[in-house]
Amino acid sequence: MSAPTPHNAAKPGDIAKTVLMPGDPLRAKYVAETFLKNPVQFNSVRGMLGFTGEYEGTRVSVMGSGMGMPSIGIYSYELFAFYDVDNIIRIGTAGGIHKGLKLRDVVIASGASTNSSYFKQYGLPGYFAPIASFNLLRQSVQAAEENGVRYVVGNVLSSDYFYTDEATDTMAWAKLGVLAVEMESAALYMNAARLGKNGLGIFTISDLLTTGASTTPEERQTSFTAMMEIALKTACRVDSGNAGK
Ligand code: HPA
């Protein structure tokens, strides 16, 4: 297969080397309009909006991933394999399951545990540990330090379930130090590993499964901006030759 694909109308060259991926395509539009200079839309197939623009002189793209591992699995695979994208930074919200987390904390996912069967396609004689690109991780931690943002680095759970029959199924992961639950990063990390590319997930904690607390829309907006500034700084630095593999 080659570009355009059944899910992405962009032509080769329309997409930057680094793509930021929120789950919500309207979030992608908001990011493009708020943070990028001269954004140009490259996709609207299935409403999965994607844009390329500039941030502080660096070409950056932003595109929705949809919800869940099958969805980000498709879009990230195509970006890496058919559009020559090197770096995908997922930006999203996650539910805190670890006692130490507070609402609005930024979580940078060094690893993504999962209850999904996505890894079965590789036919491995065991379980794969999906991990972030070290270079993206390093750049994002440095950006968080510089920006004075409270952040935690560690494992997240990429779950196939938003609604679970037993809430304890999700909480069990906290016993092993897993910080928060979201629904996409493990597929991104596996695609990146398989294709020799770089993936990273950065999250703000929008709710705490430990207490049932959740952020207000205003709080979500402020923490979203803090997370975006980390992601954009990371995108600029990897683009200027610090990406590595
Ligand atoms: N589960 C899955 N994904 C999420 C959650 C959650 O509780 N909160 C934010 N993203």
Side-chain angles (χ1 to χ4, degrees):
M1 189 162 325
S2 61
T5 76
H7 317 100
N8 195 331
K11 294 184 294 302
D14 284 352
I15 305 180
K17 288 289 182 193
T18 302
V19 180
L20 308 179
M21 290 203 106
D24 178 356
L26 291 178
R27 257 294 144 99
K29 185 167 189 271
Y30 171 83
V31 168
E33 287 169 354
T34 310
F35 297 96
L36 302 186
K37 236 197 210 164
N38 307 322
V40 175
Q41 187 178 315
F42 61 73
N43 190 50
S44 66
V45 176
R46 288 178 184 250
M48 201 52 79
L49 305 175
F51 304 82
T52 299
E54 242 183 64
Y55 182 79
E56 292 183 356
T58 299
R59 200 162 170 255
V60 178
S61 296
V62 56
M63 180 179 175
S65 71
M67 287 182 284
M69 293 182 54
S71 188
I72 197 169
I74 291 168
Y75 293 112
S76 63
Y77 191 95
E78 292 182 350
L79 290 171
F80 284 144
F82 310 131
Y83 289 97
D84 217 17
V85 166
D86 287 336
N87 312 298
I88 297 179
I89 305 173
R90 165 162 157 66
I91 43 177
T93 57
I97 59 172
H98 196 270
K99 284 200 300 281
L101 282 178
K102 296 198 181 76
L103 286 177
R104 300 164 66 189
D105 278 350
V106 168
V107 167
I108 303 176
S110 51
S113 299
T114 189
N115 54 25
S116 138
S117 56
Y118 195 84
F119 70 90
K120 285 196 178 167
Q121 63 182 304
Y122 306 117
L124 300 168
Y127 298 96
F128 181 73
I131 57 169
S133 146
F134 177 68
N135 283 297
L136 288 179
L137 182 66
R138 183 171 56 166
Q139 297 294 340
S140 64
V141 167
Q142 195 181 320
E145 294 267 351
E146 287 169 7
N147 291 4
V149 173
R150 189 186 133 96
Y151 70 94
V152 188
V153 176
N155 216 336
V156 297
L157 168 65
S158 299
S159 178
D160 272 352
Y161 318 112
F162 187 86
Y163 300 106
T164 50
D165 208 37
E166 296 285 348
T168 48
D169 287 355
T170 303
M171 295 309 297
W173 295 84
K175 286 192 257 183
L176 285 146
V178 175
L179 299 168
V181 54
E182 53 87 57
M183 305 187 76
E184 291 83 16
S185 296
L188 171 62
Y189 289 7
M190 285 190 255
N191 281 348
R194 181 67 183 91
L195 297 167
K197 305 279 184 164
N198 305 294
L200 177 70
I202 309 178
F203 306 92
T204 59
I205 298 300
S206 57
D207 46 276
L208 296 174
L209 277 64
T210 41
T211 64
S214 66
T215 46
T216 63
E218 296 75 42
E219 286 172 333
R220 273 175 209 237
Q221 194 57 43
T222 325
S223 30
F224 181 78
T225 303
M227 174 180 67
M228 276 311 305
E229 282 164 358
I230 295 170
L232 286 163
K233 236 183 205 187
T234 304
C236 287
R237 289 177 182 172
V238 292
D239 196 72
S240 59
N242 294 320
K245 279 277 145 66

